[in-house]
Amino acid sequence: MGTANDSSKDISDRLAEKHPKVVFVLGGPGSGKGTQCEKIVQHFGYTHLSAGDLLRAEKNSGSENGIMIQNMMNEGKIVPSEVTIKLLQKAMLESGNDKFLIDGFPRNEENRAAFEAVVRLCLSHFFDAAKIEPEFVLYFNCPEKEMERRILNRNQGREDDNIETIRKRFKVFLESSLPVIEYYKGKGKVREIDAAKPVEEVPL
Ligand SMILES: Nc1ncnc2c1ncn2[C@@H]1O[C@H](COP(=O)(O)OP(=O)(O)O)[C@@H](O)[C@H]1O
Ligand SMILES: Nc1ccn([C@@H]2O[C@H](COP(=O)(O)OP(=O)(O)O)[C@@H](O)[C@H]2O)c(=O)n1
Ligand SMILES: [Mg+2]
């Protein structure tokens, strides 16, 4: 079990032993990432890790980063990668699985660079260093009006699900997250999904 004192090197050493397989799940706020991940988990044996859920749990735990996370989320901003990646690594280590659906990450170039730095550290343990890439990236493409409608009906008590913050999150998605999706498109890694369909009809 990890402790708060684990160094990045220790965590990376232990993760490297796992040889984890990673699929990123990206798409705008309200596109249905969390909903479809639950379905994928049932059919394909991945463990679902939502970066947003991990950040909300960290905020609620009263950790020293709690206030900062709350402020960033309420402004629709992306929390510094160092915080998010630590939470993801810890969750991966604590899981018995080695196949992960990582939902809502990487959400900007800084997130992506931080992921690559961690994988590089893990791979430095092996002579046959594989590529610093996820298996593939699922991109849930959905019109903004539909995403807005879904979020306003979500009823999960999330402070950031108000129209003012939703607009900020859409702007951050267009400016910071779409370029990450384009980056992986350039590498032939993206599987684009029509997320506008009803839940049971979204093709996986
Ligand atoms: N295909 C869909 N059609 C209609 N509503 C959906 C669909 N997928 C998800 N929802 C609903 O929309 C809201 C946002 O879905 P969620 O999975 O939380 O999206 P995300 O994680 O991408 O923000 C939830 O209330 C969910 O029940
Ligand atoms: N990689 C990430 C993911 C989420 N977050 C924060 O968490 C918020 C909610 O993310 P989420 O993935 O739960 O939101 P949805 O796309 O599910 O609506 C984002 O608006 C960011 O403020 C982040 O900072 N970095
Ligand atoms: Mg979600």
Side-chain angles (χ1 to χ4, degrees):
M1 197 61 113
T3 71
N5 296 323
D6 280 342
S7 73
S8 307
K9 175 89 171 47
D10 283 345
I11 293 177
S12 296
D13 276 351
R14 281 154 55 208
L15 256 184
E17 286 163 21
K18 244 184 187 249
H19 286 283
K21 276 192 184 168
V22 165
V23 172
F24 290 141
V25 181
L26 302 177
S31 58
K33 301 181 294 296
T35 303
Q36 297 299 330
C37 279
E38 293 312 316
K39 282 168 55 183
I40 296 170
V41 162
Q42 286 166 23
H43 292 105
F44 302 101
Y46 282 82
T47 291
H48 173 211
L49 299 178
S50 155
D53 286 352
L54 289 169
L55 286 166
R56 278 182 285 278
E58 179 72 0
K59 178 194 81 176
N60 293 334
S61 76
S63 87
E64 55 178 345
N65 286 322
I67 303 283
M68 181 274 288
I69 294 173
Q70 177 159 23
N71 290 338
M72 302 287 284
M73 280 185 155
N74 287 347
E75 284 301 311
K77 292 185 180 155
I78 312 294
V79 173
S81 305
E82 184 201 355
V83 173
T84 314
I85 213 150
K86 257 207 183 115
L87 295 172
L88 284 168
Q89 284 184 292
K90 190 162 173 280
M92 286 166 87
L93 270 178
E94 285 175 1
S95 151
N97 205 346
D98 59 358
K99 289 166 67 178
F100 301 96
L101 279 178
I102 301 193
D103 156 6
F105 181 98
R107 241 177 166 101
N108 62 8
E109 288 292 328
E110 194 219 0
N111 272 182
R112 183 177 68 73
F115 167 78
E116 291 190 358
V118 166
V119 177
R120 213 171 264 124
L121 197 58
C122 289
L123 292 178
S124 64
H125 300 258
F126 301 104
F127 297 112
D128 62 337
K131 279 181 254 160
I132 303 175
E133 278 166 13
E135 267 193 290
F136 52 87
V137 175
L138 295 180
Y139 167 36
F140 286 85
N141 193 356
C142 191
E144 206 170 280
K145 264 283 149 223
E146 174 63 9
M147 297 197 286
E148 182 182 302
R149 191 190 66 77
R150 290 181 188 176
I151 298 174
L152 291 173
N153 288 308
R154 179 149 57 182
N155 286 327
Q156 287 178 355
R158 276 175 54 173
E159 271 183 60
D160 58 346
D161 281 354
N162 63 79
I163 192 64
E164 201 188 326
T165 310
I166 290 169
R167 298 238 157 95
K168 291 181 183 167
R169 287 157 66 197
F170 284 156
K171 190 161 183 284
V172 168
F173 175 70
L174 292 177
E175 289 175 358
S176 305
S177 308
L178 268 183
V180 175
I181 294 165
E182 289 302 321
Y183 170 86
Y184 286 120
K185 266 189 190 163
K187 295 190 165 284
K189 287 274 169 185
V190 173
R191 299 189 191 173
E192 187 164 329
I193 289 166
D194 179 1
K197 293 178 183 290
V199 174
E200 293 311 323
E201 290 172 31
V202 172
L204 294 175

